[in-house]
Amino acid sequence: MKLRRFAPTVAIAMAASITLAACGDDTPTQTDTPAAEDTAADEGADEGADDAADTAGAEDTEGEAAAGGDLSGSLTGAGASSQEAAQTAWIAGFQGVEPGVTVNYDSVGSGAGIGQLIAGAATFAGSDAYLNEDQRAEVQNVCSGGDAVNVPVYISPIAVPFNLPGVDELNLKPDTMAKIFAQEITSWDDEEIAADNPDADLPSTPITVVNRSDESGTTENFTDYLAAAAPDVWTEEPSKTWPISGGEAAPQTSGVINAVRGAEGSIGYADASAVGDLATVKVGVGEDFVEFSPEAAAKVVEASPKADTGVEGDLAIDLAHDTEEAGAYPIVLVSYLIMCKQYEDADTANLVKAYSEYIVSEDGQNASADAAGSAPISSSMRDEAMSTIDAITGG
C-alpha cells in the first residue's frame, strides 16, 4: 500500500460521526504549548512536488498520490490514555479521508490495551511502552503466528504537576524528586526542596504523592527516569505498576490530574497534554532546570537508540532518560501503535495500514500536535514507519 496524499485535516466537529470509546471521563486538556519540531514532508517524496501538494499532506513515497475513500469497515483499538486527545484528532482526520471506515479507541491504559490485543479483542493497541519479551510471545497467538511491531506515533513530555498554593514555580533536581516520590521527603519545606528553590516561600504542608493505580506506560517511563537519573535514591526497577505503597492512587491520566487538582500539597505525573492550568515542575538537567515542551522532549528521542527486540521492522526506542543535554527535558514518553505484522484477512490488514499511514503522515502528526501539544515524529522516523507499515500483510 502506497502512502496516501491526505487532504487537510477535517474539523474536529466531524468527530461526532465517529466513535471514540473512553473509560470514565479520561479526557486530557489541550495544552497551549506549540510543537516546534520540524514537520517537513517525507524526505523520500518526489523533489518535484509543489508546495501546494506538500501542505495537503504527506508525500507518496514512490512519487504517486492515491485517492482515498475506497475502504469500508471498522477498527477497534485500545490502550494508552495519554493518546486520547491525539486519537480523537486522528480519527476525525481519517474520517475525512476514508468516510466508510469507523475507528473505535478505548483509552483504558497501556497495559489493558496490550491485554486486549493479546486477547484478540482489539486490532491494534496504543502503548507508552513497547512490548516486552513475554508480550511479544503472547501476541503471536493473534498475529497469525507472527510478530507484532511497535511504531512510534506520539512524542510527549511527562509533566510533574503539583498543587501548592502560593508557589507558582518549583525546581527539583533528580535526587530531590526521587526522594519525594519514594516518600523519603514528606514536607514541602524540606531543606532539600528549599535548596533547589532558594527564592521560594515553601509552606510546611505535607506532601501527597499521586500515582497511577492501573498498569501504565506513563508509569513505566516515569519510573525509568527516576531509576536512570537518581539511581542512588530510586532503587526500584522500572515498572508499569507503581512500586511503592502509600500516597494516593488514581486510574488513568485524568484520575491523576483530578487527584492533584483536588488535594493541596499533592504532586503527580501525567502526560503533559492533560495538565491544563496546573503548575508543573522544572526538572534538573545538569546545572539547569528545564521546563517541559515538545521541543525539549524531542531532543531526548533523537538522542536515544533503537531497542533490540529481535523483530524485523520494529521501531521501539530505549529512551535516554538520564540525558544531560542542554535544553532537553528528560521525562519523556514515546507512545506507540502496536500492530500485527500479519493479520488473518487482507481487509483488516488494509484498514490497519490505511489508518496507521494517516497517523504517521504529516497531516496526522500535525493533528496530534494541535490537539495534544505533542512533538511530531521526525521525517527520518516517518520514512522508517512507512516501511514497517507497508510490510503488514493479511490473508
Side-chain angles (χ1 to χ4, degrees):
M1 177 176 291
K2 295 184 176 68
L3 169 60
R4 301 174 184 275
R5 188 190 304 275
F6 295 103
T9 305
V10 297
I12 297 300
M14 290 188 65
S17 65
I18 51 184
T19 303
L20 177 71
C23 181
D25 63 348
D26 189 19
T27 306
T29 303
Q30 180 174 334
T31 179
D32 292 328
T33 307
E37 183 179 335
D38 183 15
T39 55
D42 186 342
E43 292 177 354
D46 282 350
E47 293 181 359
D50 58 26
D51 290 342
D54 288 342
T55 58
E59 294 294 327
D60 189 311
T61 55
E62 296 182 26
E64 301 176 7
D70 55 343
L71 296 176
S72 62
S74 62
L75 283 175
T76 299
S81 57
S82 62
Q83 283 189 23
E84 186 173 348
Q87 285 284 351
T88 302
W90 290 331
I91 292 171
F94 184 65
Q95 179 76 10
V97 180
E98 296 289 353
V101 181
T102 298
V103 182
N104 303 281
Y105 184 79
D106 194 357
S107 56
V108 292
S110 297
I114 291 172
Q116 288 193 30
L117 177 63
I118 290 171
T123 315
F124 67 89
S127 177
D128 297 339
Y130 59 80
L131 296 177
N132 61 34
E133 185 175 357
D134 290 340
Q135 291 165 340
R136 290 196 295 272
E138 291 175 323
V139 80
Q140 292 184 1
N141 294 326
V142 295
C143 290
S144 297
D147 295 312
V149 287
N150 304 275
V151 175
V153 294
Y154 179 87
I155 300 170
S156 180
I158 298 173
V160 182
F162 65 94
N163 179 349
L164 198 59
V167 179
D168 298 324
E169 294 187 5
L170 188 68
N171 299 326
L172 292 178
K173 292 180 179 178
D175 281 359
T176 311
M177 189 182 300
K179 289 179 181 178
I180 289 172
F181 280 91
Q183 300 177 44
E184 296 177 15
I185 293 177
T186 58
S187 175
W188 281 110
D189 61 353
D190 186 272
E191 60 182 13
E192 290 194 43
I193 301 177
D196 291 347
N197 300 273
D199 298 326
D201 184 13
L202 298 168
S204 59
T205 308
I207 297 174
T208 299
V209 172
V210 180
N211 58 265
R212 289 280 289 266
S213 61
D214 54 331
E215 284 194 2
S216 163
T218 307
T219 297
E220 183 169 0
N221 279 281
F222 186 65
T223 54
D224 187 65
Y225 161 74
L226 294 174
D232 293 335
V233 177
W234 189 268
T235 58
E236 304 287 343
E237 291 291 325
S239 172
K240 287 186 175 70
T241 304
W242 187 252
I244 296 175
S245 60
E248 182 174 346
Q252 302 176 359
T253 301
S254 64
V256 171
I257 293 300
N258 290 337
V260 172
R261 193 182 301 279
E264 184 175 329
S266 60
I267 186 171
Y269 60 91
D271 185 271
S273 68
V275 298
D277 59 357
L278 284 171
T280 58
V281 170
K282 291 183 178 179
V283 178
V285 181
E287 298 301 316
D288 298 320
F289 291 96
V290 180
E291 188 173 12
F292 79 79
S293 70
E295 302 93 325
K299 284 188 175 184
V300 178
V301 176
E302 290 301 311
S304 300
K306 292 284 196 321
D308 182 12
T309 64
V311 176
E312 184 177 358
D314 194 54
L315 301 179
I317 299 170
D318 280 331
L319 290 168
H321 284 128
D322 58 349
T323 184
E324 293 193 357
E325 180 181 352
Y329 183 85
I331 317 178
V332 62
L333 63 81
V334 171
S335 208
Y336 301 91
L337 276 189
I338 302 176
M339 301 166 286
C340 293
K341 294 183 70 173
Q342 181 169 342
Y343 286 91
E344 186 175 345
D345 63 89
D347 289 343
T348 299
N350 287 336
L351 293 178
V352 170
K353 291 171 74 169
Y355 184 53
S356 55
E357 279 180 352
Y358 172 76
I359 287 174
V360 302
S361 73
E362 186 178 0
D363 272 359
Q365 289 295 292
N366 286 341
S368 57
D370 290 342
S374 59
I377 61 175
S378 66
S379 57
S380 60
M381 189 176 291
R382 180 180 297 119
D383 287 342
E384 292 183 275
M386 286 298 180
S387 294
T388 293
I389 294 166
D390 191 56
I392 293 174
T393 61

